[in-house]
Amino acid sequence: MTMELDDMKQAWQALDRRLADQQALNWQIYRDGKFDRMRRGLRPLVWGMAAQMVLGIAFLLLGVAFWTSHRDTLHWVICGVSVQAFGILVMAFTGRLISLLHGIDYSAPVLEIQQRLASVRRWRVKVEAPVFSTLGAVIWIPLLLMWFQWGVESDGMGPDVLVMAPQLVGIMAMAAGISLALTWGTYGVLRFAGKRRWLEKNFVGRSVMQAEAMLDEVKRFQQP
């Protein structure tokens, strides 16, 4: 009788181990499937960042090409350097975001991956969105002036647009001020109207939000 009880006990223990192994296997398959979908879902964001990096390089080269061909005129050097600096900033910000995305270890615990995605969210909402919203309202001024100047030149020679029409600077500065006021005014109104989360969703982007939702699902599945 004692032998039969021992055999039954061992059989139950073996069954428990097999169930635990099966549960662990199911969990691993579920987790791998979700994380694979999450990785694929973040690819459009990475591709977008690659395109943004190309744009930053284009701004950089454009700015350098302009100010090096107008180095004798201070205001044109300032225009070119401004565009060059904007290009460098775009590249730096893009590199930072790509670094955050590549830093996600999909084999790490769910909490650690959530913290990584939270870093991506903070960067996009707290840094990237306000900086680009502000600079986007003014960077068009040197770009437009450069375009005007190149338009009147032939082989690097020609009249100076700002000497011919100095009022351009004042007009563009006023337009930039209005553009900035509209940008931040709209932001303030939306926040006042309780649309802060809506704004953040637009800043963060669909890819990151979908990844966050998948992580929440995995975390709920993991919980007993």
Side-chain angles (χ1 to χ4, degrees):
M1 186 65 181
T2 303
M3 287 295 292
E4 288 180 0
L5 286 174
D6 289 342
D7 290 344
M8 287 181 64
K9 186 178 178 182
Q10 289 176 0
W12 277 111
Q13 288 174 341
L15 183 60
D16 283 344
R17 282 196 297 273
R18 281 199 292 273
L19 285 173
D21 291 343
Q22 186 62 46
Q23 191 175 21
L25 181 61
N26 289 341
W27 157 245
Q28 192 62 44
I29 292 171
Y30 176 81
R31 177 191 158 104
D32 290 347
K34 281 289 181 185
F35 285 179
D36 187 52
R37 282 183 57 197
M38 194 175 91
R39 190 185 294 109
R40 283 188 276 116
L42 287 171
R43 280 178 193 162
L45 179 58
V46 176
W47 296 335
M49 290 301 102
Q52 189 169 292
M53 181 68 82
V54 172
L55 187 65
I57 293 171
F59 277 124
L60 168 68
L61 295 177
L62 184 68
V64 170
F66 188 82
W67 75 259
T68 53
S69 61
H70 297 80
R71 62 182 69 200
D72 295 333
T73 311
L74 179 60
H75 53 262
W76 292 132
V77 171
I78 292 172
C79 277
V81 169
S82 299
V83 173
Q84 178 188 346
F86 182 70
I88 293 171
L89 189 72
V90 170
M91 292 165 60
F93 274 41
T94 305
R96 169 65 176 161
L97 189 54
I98 290 175
S99 169
L100 287 172
L101 291 171
H102 278 280
I104 296 175
D105 179 5
Y106 293 93
S107 63
V110 174
L111 181 61
E112 188 175 325
I113 301 175
Q114 283 181 317
Q115 289 171 342
R116 277 284 180 179
L117 273 183
S119 300
V120 173
R121 170 181 279 272
R122 278 196 303 275
W123 175 259
R124 301 213 79 181
V125 173
K126 303 289 185 186
V127 181
E128 195 179 76
V131 169
F132 282 141
S133 297
T134 304
L135 291 181
V138 297
I139 194 60
W140 60 273
I141 295 177
L143 283 169
L144 198 57
L145 288 173
M146 286 162 52
W147 183 62
F148 284 160
Q149 184 60 27
W150 262 328
V152 299
E153 288 180 350
S154 175
D155 297 329
M157 301 295 290
D160 190 314
V161 168
L162 287 183
V163 173
M164 292 170 57
Q167 69 274 19
L168 272 177
V169 174
I171 294 171
M172 289 185 177
M174 185 172 65
I178 294 171
S179 178
L180 271 174
L182 284 174
T183 300
W184 285 101
T186 303
Y187 178 73
V189 168
L190 288 172
R191 286 202 63 167
F192 182 76
K195 299 291 184 183
R196 187 176 63 84
R197 290 185 66 81
W198 178 82
L199 273 174
E200 287 186 4
K201 283 181 181 177
N202 282 279
F203 292 154
V204 170
R206 179 181 292 184
S207 298
V208 175
M209 286 194 299
Q210 286 178 340
E212 289 173 334
M214 286 182 196
L215 278 175
D216 288 339
E217 289 177 18
V218 173
K219 193 173 181 180
R220 283 197 297 273
F221 186 86
Q222 188 179 17
Q223 288 172 346

